[in-house]
Amino acid sequence: MPRLPEIKQFLSSGGIRIYRIPCKVLAELTGRVYLVLEAGPPTLVDTGSGQGDSTKNILDGFETVRRDFGESIRIEDVQRILITHAHPDHCGGLPDLLQRARAEVAIHPLDSRSITANAECVALVRHGIGRLLDQIGVPGTLGEDLLRRHWQLPEAFPAIDVNTELLERNAFDGFRVLHTPGHSPGHVCLLADDLLLCGDHVLSRTIPQLWPESLRPYKGLAHYLESLQTVRAVRGIRMALPGHETVIDDVYKRIDDIDRSERRRIQYVVDVLDQADRPLTIWEISRTIYQQTAGFYASLALMDTAARVEYLHQRGRLRLANLEQIESDPRAAWQYQTK
Ligand SMILES: [Zn+2]
Ligand SMILES: [Zn+2]
């Protein structure tokens, strides 16, 4: 197994000490949790997945912080756990860590039910994706297969009490909260002086995964693009610390790059439809764009395409070609065209 990235200390302009602790969150995915000291009580931002070695990596990380950086902090000393968003690779470690630390848990209210009523949320999203796959036009039993692959993530998660709502208007000592919906409805970025803990909102190499808003309010491309500008408008961010990948030295440039790529990808959907000799389903559009993508990644690419088609359709740049069929058959695949 490849080695995890090293534990690093970041010092804010006001003297807040932030430790980046990497952890293996899924078989092919490494995450980062952040231990924040001197921004109010000892605080952990995100918790890993609770799967495999994720929690062990975090506990080992505390040991390294004590040994290599001379901090006296132990996991039992953490008084506050802030969750950037309720995806399993960020909040799945909560049950493990709460057994060791009597910490208050804070999350944005639009994501909190994923923690307080996880089983219900998983069931509803599964149901929503099932419906969406009909609308997308996934042929035959492939829909079942994609659904299974999409949900290969952990699901059992005991109900956990949320103590505090992470809202922009709430004063949160040491942090400024920015609500940045899109990747997740209740996604937040946390500003500690001139350092931004940005979860999955801005990543250094990849564009975060998106789903259409029809799946859940405050998801989707329109919210995501708007939330990029929310961060873009904050002055004085010296460095951004994401939940995956590497540190972002120039978050403003990275946001501009992501915005530009995302708009190119939106235009690509229009181009595909312009060049087609008949209306296309989202499935057909996605297969045209992502010919080489298979398995789990094909299901993610499909959701990304659905988010872009929804965005274009909302803005009147696409129209439905088979309205009568949709009206008479609730399971009919939606077909789109540009003119
Ligand atoms: Zn995420
Ligand atoms: Zn993530």
Side-chain angles (χ1 to χ4, degrees), residues 167-339:
L167 291 170
E168 296 200 8
R169 65 170 180 272
N170 285 359
F172 225 86
D173 56 343
F175 296 96
R176 178 178 160 197
V177 178
L178 304 169
H179 182 210
T180 48
H183 174 68
S184 175
H187 193 293
V188 295
C189 293
L190 300 160
L191 188 67
D193 296 329
D194 54 351
L195 299 178
L196 184 77
L197 296 157
C198 55
D200 285 357
H201 183 48
V202 187
L203 298 172
S204 61
R205 283 194 296 269
T206 57
I207 297 181
Q209 175 66 39
L210 295 176
W211 294 262
E213 191 176 14
S214 61
L215 208 53
R216 214 172 135 190
Y218 287 94
K219 272 183 182 281
L221 187 49
H223 289 293
Y224 181 69
L225 292 175
E226 206 176 303
S227 295
L228 282 180
Q229 297 313 314
T230 302
V231 175
R232 185 79 177 73
V234 176
R235 287 168 178 268
I237 301 171
R238 181 167 52 88
M239 197 182 274
L241 309 174
H244 308 275
E245 303 179 1
T246 55
V247 166
I248 303 164
D249 288 321
D250 187 342
V251 74
Y252 305 105
K253 179 180 179 304
R254 182 61 192 142
I255 285 172
D256 291 344
D257 288 347
I258 292 176
D259 189 81
R260 213 174 303 118
S261 312
E262 201 49 86
R263 288 181 196 281
R264 254 200 314 268
R265 289 167 16 140
I266 293 168
Q267 183 56 41
Y268 200 29
V269 170
V270 176
D271 294 344
V272 165
L273 282 167
D274 273 340
Q275 285 158 23
D277 52 11
R278 61 177 174 83
L280 298 179
T281 63
I282 292 173
W283 168 257
E284 291 168 328
I285 297 167
S286 186
R287 293 318 293 160
T288 307
I289 299 175
Y290 299 104
Q291 289 167 12
Q292 309 297 330
T293 315
F296 177 56
Y297 293 100
S299 79
L300 294 180
L302 191 59
M303 290 301 146
D304 249 322
T305 308
R308 272 175 267 157
V309 169
E310 179 189 75
Y311 179 87
L312 286 162
H313 184 234
Q314 279 170 344
R315 277 150 192 80
R317 293 182 61 191
L318 304 184
R319 69 182 191 86
L320 283 164
N322 61 332
L323 211 48
E324 271 180 31
Q325 192 190 4
I326 293 167
E327 276 181 326
S328 62
D329 177 5
R331 296 197 65 180
W334 295 14
Q335 296 172 8
Y336 295 87
Q337 59 188 17
T338 46
K339 337 174 209 359

Side-chain angles (χ1 to χ4, degrees), residues 21-26 29-34 44-59 62 75 81-97 115 154 157 243-244:
I21 302 178
C23 52
K24 195 91 191 149
V25 288
L26 291 173
L29 186 65
T30 305
R32 286 104 174 81
V33 307
Y34 292 93
L44 198 60
V45 174
D46 287 340
T47 65
S49 65
Q51 303 292 306
D53 281 340
S54 177
T55 302
K56 181 179 181 303
N57 294 154
I58 295 169
L59 299 178
F62 270 71
I75 186 73
I81 298 178
L82 311 184
I83 304 291
T84 58
H85 65 297
H87 284 169
D89 54 323
H90 296 256
C91 68
L94 260 178
D96 277 357
L97 295 177
I115 290 179
F157 193 100
H244 308 275

Side-chain angles (χ1 to χ4, degrees), residues 7-49:
I7 301 210
K8 268 193 161 176
Q9 186 203 59
F10 302 91
L11 202 58
S12 81
S13 55
I16 295 171
R17 301 193 299 286
I18 300 183
Y19 293 94
R20 180 189 72 176
I21 302 178
C23 52
K24 195 91 191 149
V25 288
L26 291 173
E28 291 172 35
L29 186 65
T30 305
R32 286 104 174 81
V33 307
Y34 292 93
L35 170 63
V36 185
L37 301 176
E38 303 303 328
T43 298
L44 198 60
V45 174
D46 287 340
T47 65
S49 65

